[in-house]
Amino acid sequence: MTTPSLRPGGRSARVQESIHAAVRELLEEQDRSSVTVPQIAARAGVTPSTIYRRWGDLSALLADVALARMQPETGSANTGSLSGDIRAWAEQYLDEMSSAPGRNMLLDVQSSLKQSYCATIIGGQMQIILDRYPDEPNPGIDRLINLVAAPIVFRILYSEAPLEVEELHRLIDIALSQ
Amino acid sequence: MTTPSLRPGGRSARVQESIHAAVRELLEEQDRSSVTVPQIAARAGVTPSTIYRRWGDLSALLADVALARMQPETGSANTGSLSGDIRAWAEQYLDEMSSAPGRNMLLDVQSSLKQSYCATIIGGQMQIILDRYPDEPNPGIDRLINLVAAPIVFRILYSEAPLEVEELHRLIDIALSQ
């Protein structure tokens, strides 16, 4: 008897990746409320019980996929200045999150016990940018999250329209001038 | 035949208030996930079809109740200074929303088509405070929402811990000094 492989790229990781891919595909093809576990299982080539055993229910799986998608695929743009890098990051984040799939990601993640990873993921991205400019005044990760990421997300979830890019730029200037 | 009364305090308003009250009571007594429409109907003394006809489904009713609870019951504290009034409002908002019922309200409202009323409700409260101090520099409602309300809500939904009161005070100072 062997224990299940948990190494990255091992069988377990490949099953997970095929399930995540199935969810991403189905979410592009149809409305989120109509996606079911048996559909995902069929697309991923696994049994529904594999999904239930690993995630418990559909909302936990959707949350897991949403969190994975919040990890940036590429490093953030290196524009040569701290404010330029933060602007580039924030404009892309605003753009992605205010789309319908982005908004659904924000909602899906809330069903997860890991919803606090959102701030951790954003904080990690901010830290990478801050580390590029050790000689510039450092507003701190929390300040950047509060002044830049929070208004983007709040406006998407709870107001009529997403944050305007002009106001986003002003908020970044405020964050960097403190 | 008469048309249903829609005047405030009329039959329709009284039915709605008894259903809202039933929801509020049940949410205090038991976990939100176990509350059902028949339970609410029994408590309110109406039939389940009354609820389905008016709200469509449970999540729309929960959203409606949550929105109604976000309307402040009393006017915000008048401390004699703009920053004092904003602090008083923000500390109470932080306190209420970071509680378990507050967090559930934030989640419930998202199921509503009226989730953008959140920003409207907060904006109305900010305006009342700003109107008290016509001679002080006015940061604008949007700036106050972005710098004060948004970080409170973002931290509750997507980070490990609620916003610290010290940081809340600093954010208010920043908002008022722009």
Side-chain angles (χ1 to χ4, degrees), chain A residues 134-178:
Chain A
D135 299 332
E136 295 209 34
N138 183 337
I141 289 174
D142 280 345
R143 186 58 57 77
L144 286 170
I145 291 177
N146 291 337
L147 262 62
V148 180
I152 290 174
V153 171
F154 179 86
R155 293 280 172 183
I156 290 167
L157 295 179
Y158 296 112
S159 81
E160 290 272 316
L163 195 65
E164 305 264 355
V165 174
E166 294 70 32
E167 173 71 356
L168 178 62
H169 289 174
R170 267 179 249 123
L171 292 171
I172 293 170
D173 291 344
I174 292 171
L176 296 180
S177 67
Q178 296 303 311

Short mmCIF file of all heavy atoms in Angstrom, two decimals, chain A residues 134-178:
data_model
loop_
_atom_site.label_atom_id
_atom_site.label_comp_id
_atom_site.label_asym_id
_atom_site.label_seq_id
_atom_site.Cartn_x
_atom_site.Cartn_y
_atom_site.Cartn_z
N PRO A 134 13.17 50.36 -2.33
CA PRO A 134 13.52 50.42 -0.90
C PRO A 134 13.82 51.85 -0.44
O PRO A 134 13.74 52.13 0.76
CB PRO A 134 14.76 49.54 -0.79
CG PRO A 134 15.29 49.41 -2.18
CD PRO A 134 14.12 49.55 -3.10
N ASP A 135 14.13 52.76 -1.38
CA ASP A 135 14.51 54.12 -0.96
C ASP A 135 13.32 55.08 -0.92
O ASP A 135 13.45 56.21 -0.48
CB ASP A 135 15.58 54.69 -1.91
CG ASP A 135 16.84 53.83 -1.87
OD1 ASP A 135 17.08 53.21 -0.81
OD2 ASP A 135 17.55 53.77 -2.89
N GLU A 136 12.16 54.63 -1.42
CA GLU A 136 10.99 55.53 -1.38
C GLU A 136 10.25 55.35 -0.06
O GLU A 136 10.30 54.28 0.55
CB GLU A 136 10.05 55.23 -2.57
CG GLU A 136 10.72 55.54 -3.90
CD GLU A 136 9.72 55.95 -4.96
OE1 GLU A 136 8.71 56.60 -4.62
OE2 GLU A 136 9.96 55.63 -6.14
N PRO A 137 9.55 56.40 0.40
CA PRO A 137 8.77 56.28 1.64
C PRO A 137 7.75 55.15 1.50
O PRO A 137 7.09 55.04 0.46
CB PRO A 137 8.05 57.63 1.76
CG PRO A 137 8.76 58.57 0.84
CD PRO A 137 9.41 57.73 -0.23
N ASN A 138 7.69 54.31 2.51
CA ASN A 138 6.86 53.10 2.44
C ASN A 138 5.56 53.31 3.22
O ASN A 138 5.59 53.42 4.45
CB ASN A 138 7.67 51.95 3.03
CG ASN A 138 6.93 50.63 2.96
OD1 ASN A 138 5.70 50.60 2.87
ND2 ASN A 138 7.67 49.53 3.00
N PRO A 139 4.43 53.37 2.53
CA PRO A 139 3.17 53.60 3.24
C PRO A 139 2.71 52.39 4.04
O PRO A 139 1.82 52.51 4.90
CB PRO A 139 2.17 53.89 2.11
CG PRO A 139 2.74 53.20 0.92
CD PRO A 139 4.23 53.18 1.09
N GLY A 140 3.29 51.22 3.76
CA GLY A 140 2.87 50.00 4.45
C GLY A 140 1.76 49.31 3.68
O GLY A 140 0.93 49.95 3.02
N ILE A 141 1.78 48.00 3.77
CA ILE A 141 0.80 47.19 3.05
C ILE A 141 -0.63 47.49 3.48
O ILE A 141 -1.53 47.62 2.66
CB ILE A 141 1.11 45.70 3.29
CG1 ILE A 141 2.39 45.32 2.54
CG2 ILE A 141 -0.04 44.82 2.85
CD1 ILE A 141 2.81 43.90 2.85
N ASP A 142 -0.83 47.61 4.80
CA ASP A 142 -2.20 47.79 5.28
C ASP A 142 -2.80 49.08 4.76
O ASP A 142 -3.98 49.12 4.40
CB ASP A 142 -2.22 47.79 6.81
CG ASP A 142 -2.18 46.37 7.35
OD1 ASP A 142 -2.41 45.43 6.58
OD2 ASP A 142 -1.91 46.21 8.56
N ARG A 143 -1.99 50.14 4.73
CA ARG A 143 -2.49 51.42 4.24
C ARG A 143 -2.89 51.31 2.77
O ARG A 143 -3.92 51.82 2.34
CB ARG A 143 -1.42 52.49 4.47
CG ARG A 143 -1.83 53.91 4.14
CD ARG A 143 -3.05 54.40 4.91
NE ARG A 143 -2.93 54.34 6.34
CZ ARG A 143 -2.24 55.21 7.10
NH1 ARG A 143 -1.59 56.20 6.55
NH2 ARG A 143 -2.22 55.10 8.40
N LEU A 144 -2.06 50.61 2.01
CA LEU A 144 -2.38 50.43 0.58
C LEU A 144 -3.65 49.61 0.40
O LEU A 144 -4.49 49.92 -0.45
CB LEU A 144 -1.21 49.77 -0.15
CG LEU A 144 0.00 50.67 -0.39
CD1 LEU A 144 1.18 49.84 -0.90
CD2 LEU A 144 -0.33 51.78 -1.39
N ILE A 145 -3.80 48.56 1.20
CA ILE A 145 -5.03 47.77 1.10
C ILE A 145 -6.24 48.64 1.46
O ILE A 145 -7.25 48.63 0.76
CB ILE A 145 -4.96 46.53 2.02
CG1 ILE A 145 -3.92 45.54 1.47
CG2 ILE A 145 -6.33 45.87 2.17
CD1 ILE A 145 -3.71 44.31 2.34
N ASN A 146 -6.12 49.42 2.54
CA ASN A 146 -7.26 50.22 2.99
C ASN A 146 -7.63 51.32 2.01
O ASN A 146 -8.81 51.62 1.81
CB ASN A 146 -6.97 50.84 4.36
CG ASN A 146 -6.91 49.79 5.46
OD1 ASN A 146 -7.48 48.71 5.33
ND2 ASN A 146 -6.21 50.09 6.54
N LEU A 147 -6.64 51.94 1.40
CA LEU A 147 -6.91 53.11 0.55
C LEU A 147 -7.08 52.76 -0.92
O LEU A 147 -7.63 53.57 -1.68
CB LEU A 147 -5.80 54.15 0.70
CG LEU A 147 -6.12 55.29 1.68
CD1 LEU A 147 -6.34 54.75 3.06
CD2 LEU A 147 -5.04 56.36 1.66
N VAL A 148 -6.59 51.61 -1.34
CA VAL A 148 -6.64 51.30 -2.77
C VAL A 148 -7.52 50.08 -3.07
O VAL A 148 -8.47 50.16 -3.85
CB VAL A 148 -5.21 51.09 -3.34
CG1 VAL A 148 -5.26 50.79 -4.83
CG2 VAL A 148 -4.34 52.33 -3.06
N ALA A 149 -7.23 48.96 -2.43
CA ALA A 149 -8.01 47.75 -2.72
C ALA A 149 -9.42 47.83 -2.13
O ALA A 149 -10.40 47.45 -2.78
CB ALA A 149 -7.28 46.50 -2.20
N ALA A 150 -9.53 48.32 -0.89
CA ALA A 150 -10.84 48.33 -0.22
C ALA A 150 -11.89 49.14 -0.99
O ALA A 150 -13.00 48.66 -1.20
CB ALA A 150 -10.69 48.82 1.23
N PRO A 151 -11.56 50.38 -1.42
CA PRO A 151 -12.58 51.13 -2.18
C PRO A 151 -12.96 50.45 -3.49
O PRO A 151 -14.13 50.50 -3.89
CB PRO A 151 -11.92 52.48 -2.44
CG PRO A 151 -10.84 52.60 -1.44
CD PRO A 151 -10.37 51.21 -1.16
N ILE A 152 -11.99 49.80 -4.15
CA ILE A 152 -12.32 49.09 -5.39
C ILE A 152 -13.37 48.02 -5.10
O ILE A 152 -14.41 47.94 -5.76
CB ILE A 152 -11.06 48.44 -6.00
CG1 ILE A 152 -10.10 49.51 -6.54
CG2 ILE A 152 -11.44 47.46 -7.12
CD1 ILE A 152 -8.75 48.96 -7.03
N VAL A 153 -13.10 47.20 -4.10
CA VAL A 153 -14.00 46.08 -3.79
C VAL A 153 -15.34 46.57 -3.24
O VAL A 153 -16.41 46.11 -3.66
CB VAL A 153 -13.31 45.11 -2.80
CG1 VAL A 153 -14.30 44.07 -2.30
CG2 VAL A 153 -12.11 44.45 -3.46
N PHE A 154 -15.29 47.54 -2.33
CA PHE A 154 -16.54 48.05 -1.74
C PHE A 154 -17.47 48.58 -2.82
O PHE A 154 -18.67 48.30 -2.83
CB PHE A 154 -16.25 49.14 -0.71
CG PHE A 154 -17.49 49.72 -0.09
CD1 PHE A 154 -18.08 49.11 1.01
CD2 PHE A 154 -18.11 50.85 -0.62
CE1 PHE A 154 -19.25 49.63 1.57
CE2 PHE A 154 -19.27 51.36 -0.08
CZ PHE A 154 -19.84 50.75 1.02
N ARG A 155 -16.92 49.36 -3.76
CA ARG A 155 -17.75 49.95 -4.81
C ARG A 155 -18.36 48.88 -5.71
O ARG A 155 -19.48 49.03 -6.19
CB ARG A 155 -16.92 50.92 -5.66
CG ARG A 155 -16.47 52.16 -4.90
CD ARG A 155 -17.60 53.17 -4.83
NE ARG A 155 -17.27 54.28 -3.95
CZ ARG A 155 -18.13 55.27 -3.68
NH1 ARG A 155 -19.35 55.27 -4.20
NH2 ARG A 155 -17.79 56.22 -2.86
N ILE A 156 -17.61 47.82 -5.96
CA ILE A 156 -18.14 46.74 -6.81
C ILE A 156 -19.31 46.04 -6.11
O ILE A 156 -20.33 45.76 -6.73
CB ILE A 156 -17.03 45.72 -7.14
CG1 ILE A 156 -16.01 46.36 -8.09
CG2 ILE A 156 -17.62 44.44 -7.75
CD1 ILE A 156 -14.73 45.57 -8.25
N LEU A 157 -19.15 45.80 -4.81
CA LEU A 157 -20.17 45.03 -4.10
C LEU A 157 -21.37 45.86 -3.67
O LEU A 157 -22.48 45.34 -3.61
CB LEU A 157 -19.56 44.37 -2.87
CG LEU A 157 -18.49 43.31 -3.11
CD1 LEU A 157 -17.98 42.77 -1.77
CD2 LEU A 157 -19.05 42.16 -3.95
N TYR A 158 -21.15 47.13 -3.33
CA TYR A 158 -22.21 47.86 -2.64
C TYR A 158 -22.57 49.21 -3.22
O TYR A 158 -23.23 50.00 -2.54
CB TYR A 158 -21.82 48.05 -1.16
CG TYR A 158 -21.70 46.76 -0.41
CD1 TYR A 158 -20.48 46.30 0.06
CD2 TYR A 158 -22.83 45.97 -0.16
CE1 TYR A 158 -20.37 45.11 0.75
CE2 TYR A 158 -22.73 44.78 0.53
CZ TYR A 158 -21.50 44.35 0.99
OH TYR A 158 -21.40 43.18 1.68
N SER A 159 -22.15 49.52 -4.42
CA SER A 159 -22.61 50.80 -4.96
C SER A 159 -23.01 50.65 -6.42
O SER A 159 -22.85 49.59 -7.02
CB SER A 159 -21.57 51.91 -4.76
OG SER A 159 -20.57 51.84 -5.74
N GLU A 160 -23.54 51.71 -6.97
CA GLU A 160 -24.09 51.68 -8.33
C GLU A 160 -23.05 51.39 -9.38
O GLU A 160 -23.30 50.72 -10.36
CB GLU A 160 -24.67 53.07 -8.65
CG GLU A 160 -25.92 53.44 -7.91
CD GLU A 160 -27.16 52.97 -8.66
OE1 GLU A 160 -27.20 53.14 -9.88
OE2 GLU A 160 -28.06 52.41 -8.01
N ALA A 161 -21.88 51.99 -9.20
CA ALA A 161 -20.88 51.95 -10.27
C ALA A 161 -19.51 51.69 -9.66
O ALA A 161 -19.26 52.03 -8.51
CB ALA A 161 -20.87 53.29 -11.00
N PRO A 162 -18.61 51.07 -10.44
CA PRO A 162 -17.26 50.86 -9.91
C PRO A 162 -16.55 52.18 -9.67
O PRO A 162 -16.99 53.23 -10.14
CB PRO A 162 -16.56 50.06 -11.01
CG PRO A 162 -17.40 50.19 -12.23
CD PRO A 162 -18.77 50.53 -11.79
N LEU A 163 -15.46 52.11 -8.93
CA LEU A 163 -14.64 53.29 -8.65
C LEU A 163 -14.16 53.89 -9.97
O LEU A 163 -13.75 53.17 -10.89
CB LEU A 163 -13.44 52.84 -7.82
CG LEU A 163 -12.61 53.89 -7.11
CD1 LEU A 163 -13.44 54.58 -6.03
CD2 LEU A 163 -11.38 53.24 -6.47
N GLU A 164 -14.19 55.22 -10.06
CA GLU A 164 -13.66 55.91 -11.26
C GLU A 164 -12.14 55.85 -11.22
O GLU A 164 -11.53 55.99 -10.16
CB GLU A 164 -14.07 57.38 -11.25
CG GLU A 164 -15.55 57.62 -11.14
CD GLU A 164 -16.18 57.83 -12.51
OE1 GLU A 164 -15.42 57.89 -13.49
OE2 GLU A 164 -17.41 57.92 -12.57
N VAL A 165 -11.52 55.73 -12.39
CA VAL A 165 -10.06 55.65 -12.44
C VAL A 165 -9.41 56.92 -11.88
O VAL A 165 -8.39 56.86 -11.21
CB VAL A 165 -9.57 55.38 -13.89
CG1 VAL A 165 -8.06 55.44 -13.97
CG2 VAL A 165 -10.05 54.01 -14.34
N GLU A 166 -10.04 58.09 -12.11
CA GLU A 166 -9.47 59.34 -11.60
C GLU A 166 -9.42 59.30 -10.06
O GLU A 166 -8.43 59.73 -9.46
CB GLU A 166 -10.31 60.55 -12.03
CG GLU A 166 -10.30 60.83 -13.53
CD GLU A 166 -11.07 59.78 -14.33
OE1 GLU A 166 -12.07 59.24 -13.80
OE2 GLU A 166 -10.66 59.47 -15.47
N GLU A 167 -10.51 58.83 -9.46
CA GLU A 167 -10.53 58.75 -8.00
C GLU A 167 -9.52 57.70 -7.52
O GLU A 167 -8.85 57.90 -6.51
CB GLU A 167 -11.95 58.42 -7.49
CG GLU A 167 -12.08 58.14 -5.99
CD GLU A 167 -11.90 59.36 -5.08
OE1 GLU A 167 -11.59 60.46 -5.58
OE2 GLU A 167 -12.04 59.18 -3.85
N LEU A 168 -9.38 56.62 -8.25
CA LEU A 168 -8.38 55.60 -7.90
C LEU A 168 -6.99 56.23 -7.87
O LEU A 168 -6.21 56.01 -6.94
CB LEU A 168 -8.44 54.46 -8.92
CG LEU A 168 -7.43 53.33 -8.72
CD1 LEU A 168 -7.63 52.63 -7.39
CD2 LEU A 168 -7.52 52.31 -9.86
N HIS A 169 -6.67 57.02 -8.88
CA HIS A 169 -5.36 57.68 -8.91
C HIS A 169 -5.18 58.62 -7.73
O HIS A 169 -4.13 58.67 -7.12
CB HIS A 169 -5.20 58.45 -10.22
CG HIS A 169 -5.02 57.56 -11.41
ND1 HIS A 169 -4.98 58.01 -12.70
CD2 HIS A 169 -4.89 56.21 -11.51
CE1 HIS A 169 -4.82 57.00 -13.54
NE2 HIS A 169 -4.77 55.89 -12.84
N ARG A 170 -6.25 59.34 -7.40
CA ARG A 170 -6.16 60.26 -6.24
C ARG A 170 -5.94 59.48 -4.95
O ARG A 170 -5.15 59.88 -4.10
CB ARG A 170 -7.43 61.12 -6.15
CG ARG A 170 -7.27 62.45 -6.89
CD ARG A 170 -8.55 63.30 -6.81
NE ARG A 170 -9.17 63.38 -8.12
CZ ARG A 170 -10.42 63.02 -8.42
NH1 ARG A 170 -11.24 62.56 -7.47
NH2 ARG A 170 -10.88 63.13 -9.65
N LEU A 171 -6.62 58.35 -4.83
CA LEU A 171 -6.46 57.55 -3.61
C LEU A 171 -5.03 57.00 -3.51
O LEU A 171 -4.46 56.95 -2.42
CB LEU A 171 -7.48 56.39 -3.58
CG LEU A 171 -8.94 56.82 -3.43
CD1 LEU A 171 -9.87 55.62 -3.65
CD2 LEU A 171 -9.19 57.42 -2.03
N ILE A 172 -4.45 56.63 -4.63
CA ILE A 172 -3.06 56.15 -4.62
C ILE A 172 -2.12 57.29 -4.22
O ILE A 172 -1.23 57.11 -3.39
CB ILE A 172 -2.68 55.58 -6.00
CG1 ILE A 172 -3.48 54.29 -6.27
CG2 ILE A 172 -1.17 55.30 -6.08
CD1 ILE A 172 -3.36 53.77 -7.69
N ASP A 173 -2.36 58.49 -4.78
CA ASP A 173 -1.53 59.63 -4.40
C ASP A 173 -1.64 59.90 -2.89
O ASP A 173 -0.64 60.17 -2.23
CB ASP A 173 -1.97 60.90 -5.16
CG ASP A 173 -1.64 60.80 -6.66
OD1 ASP A 173 -0.83 59.93 -7.02
OD2 ASP A 173 -2.20 61.59 -7.44
N ILE A 174 -2.86 59.81 -2.38
CA ILE A 174 -3.05 60.04 -0.94
C ILE A 174 -2.28 58.99 -0.14
O ILE A 174 -1.57 59.30 0.81
CB ILE A 174 -4.56 60.00 -0.58
CG1 ILE A 174 -5.28 61.20 -1.19
CG2 ILE A 174 -4.75 59.96 0.92
CD1 ILE A 174 -6.80 61.12 -1.07
N ALA A 175 -2.41 57.73 -0.55
CA ALA A 175 -1.74 56.63 0.18
C ALA A 175 -0.23 56.83 0.19
O ALA A 175 0.44 56.59 1.19
CB ALA A 175 -2.10 55.28 -0.44
N LEU A 176 0.32 57.30 -0.93
CA LEU A 176 1.78 57.43 -1.04
C LEU A 176 2.30 58.73 -0.44
O LEU A 176 3.51 58.88 -0.26
CB LEU A 176 2.21 57.32 -2.51
CG LEU A 176 1.93 55.97 -3.18
CD1 LEU A 176 2.40 55.97 -4.63
CD2 LEU A 176 2.58 54.83 -2.40
N SER A 177 1.40 59.66 -0.12
CA SER A 177 1.87 60.95 0.41
C SER A 177 1.78 61.00 1.94
O SER A 177 2.11 62.01 2.53
CB SER A 177 1.06 62.08 -0.20
OG SER A 177 -0.27 62.02 0.27
N GLN A 178 1.30 59.92 2.54
CA GLN A 178 1.15 59.94 4.01
C GLN A 178 2.48 59.66 4.68
O GLN A 178 3.25 58.86 4.23
CB GLN A 178 0.11 58.92 4.46
CG GLN A 178 -1.27 59.22 3.95
CD GLN A 178 -1.76 60.60 4.37
OE1 GLN A 178 -1.66 60.93 5.54
NE2 GLN A 178 -2.25 61.38 3.44
#
